[in-house]
């Protein structure tokens, strides 16, 4: 059912970006809360975003080899690992390393949705479908930034906000697994070759 696949991609786009936004939006405040100061947090954010550029380039090469859905699955899994690392490690050096890892892991997730749409839907529908999915990823970033702040306000804990991000990331991961298993049952693995 193409409609089911499309709306699952929409939900996945929201979910991955709710998780993704937690460190990106709150790392400066988190560092301030830990006593390291805003400047250190800003450095971590810069490192995270710079590594995200590398991730986008590398994930493009990965996508060419394994397809969009598997790239989404890989990125979602690795983003979840990085989010988990924020829970036990809050030392200054650890946070720099985890910020770099997070950037390297998350950068290819959102671009993979465009590839998935191209692989699983007719070219005539690509513009509308890619635009819709990407719009919902932006909504996920906004929702996640707000939600993480709300969780912190309610609990006084960035740990709880990270756990919230991890839960949303698990939703994304489960959708990617579901779609991949469904696809593997229906047709051979790998991207569709352009006509």
């Amino acid at each position: 059912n193409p409609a089911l696949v499309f709306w699952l991609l929409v939900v996945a786009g929201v979910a991955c970006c709710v998780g993704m936004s937690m460190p990106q939006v709150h790392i400066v405040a988190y560092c301030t809360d830990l006593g390291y100061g805003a400047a250190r947090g800003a450095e971590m954010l810069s490192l995270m975003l710079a590594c995200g550029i590398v991730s986008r380039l590398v994930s493009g090469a990965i996508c060419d080899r394994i397809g969009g859905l598997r790239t989404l699955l890989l990125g979602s899994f690795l983003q979840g690992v990085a989010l988990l690392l924020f829970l036990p490690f809050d030392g200054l050096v650890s946070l720099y390393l985890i910020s770099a890892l997070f950037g390297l892991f998350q950068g290819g997730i959102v671009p993979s949705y465009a590839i998935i749409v191209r692989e699983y839907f007719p070219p005539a529908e690509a513009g509308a479908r890619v635009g819709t999915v990407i719009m919902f990823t932006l909504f996920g970033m906004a929702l996640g930034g707000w939600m993480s702040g709300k969780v912190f306000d309610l609990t006084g804990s960035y740990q709880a906000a990270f756990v919230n991000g991890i839960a949303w990331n698990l939703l994304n991961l489960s959708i990617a697994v579901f779609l991949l298993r469904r696809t593997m049952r229906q047709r051979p693995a790998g991207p569709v070759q352009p006509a």
Side-chain angles (χ1 to χ4, degrees), residues 79-115:
Q79 176 174 276
V81 169
L83 285 168
L84 280 168
L85 289 173
F86 278 107
L87 294 177
F89 301 108
D90 61 3
L92 191 59
V93 174
S94 299
L95 287 174
Y96 276 108
L97 289 173
I98 297 166
S99 295
L101 284 176
F102 186 83
L104 287 172
F105 293 164
Q106 60 80 28
I109 295 175
V110 172
S112 72
Y113 291 112
I115 307 301

Side-chain angles (χ1 to χ4, degrees), residues 11-182:
V11 174
V14 172
C16 76
C17 288
V18 170
M20 189 183 295
S21 67
M22 170 51 211
Q24 290 184 353
V25 174
H26 291 278
I27 191 71
V28 176
Y30 182 46
C31 284
T32 304
D33 193 58
L34 291 171
Y36 299 130
R40 295 285 184 230
E43 289 172 356
M44 288 174 204
L45 179 60
S46 297
L47 181 61
M48 195 182 291
L49 296 176
C51 288
I53 295 169
V54 175
S55 175
R56 275 169 173 72
L57 297 173
V58 172
S59 70
I62 292 170
C63 222
D64 288 342
R65 287 168 176 77
I66 66 173
L69 201 47
R70 287 179 176 84
T71 303
L72 171 63
L73 183 62
L74 177 64
S76 182
F77 172 77
L78 292 174
Q79 176 174 276
V81 169
L83 285 168
L84 280 168
L85 289 173
F86 278 107
L87 294 177
F89 301 108
D90 61 3
L92 191 59
V93 174
S94 299
L95 287 174
Y96 276 108
L97 289 173
I98 297 166
S99 295
L101 284 176
F102 186 83
L104 287 172
F105 293 164
Q106 60 80 28
I109 295 175
V110 172
S112 72
Y113 291 112
I115 307 301
I116 294 167
V117 168
R118 178 59 191 96
E119 289 171 349
Y120 295 93
F121 295 96
E125 300 175 9
R129 290 191 187 274
V130 169
T132 302
V133 172
I134 299 302
M135 177 184 72
F136 275 96
T137 66
L138 295 173
F139 173 74
M141 290 297 288
L143 175 65
W146 171 83
M147 188 182 292
S148 297
K150 193 67 176 173
V151 169
F152 176 79
D153 289 344
L154 292 172
T155 64
S157 166
Y158 275 113
Q159 296 284 322
F162 277 113
V163 169
N164 177 64
I166 290 164
W168 282 89
N169 194 79
L170 283 172
L171 174 59
N172 175 267
L173 189 61
S174 65
I175 290 171
V177 168
F178 172 79
L179 289 175
L180 186 60
R181 290 182 60 158
R182 183 176 181 274

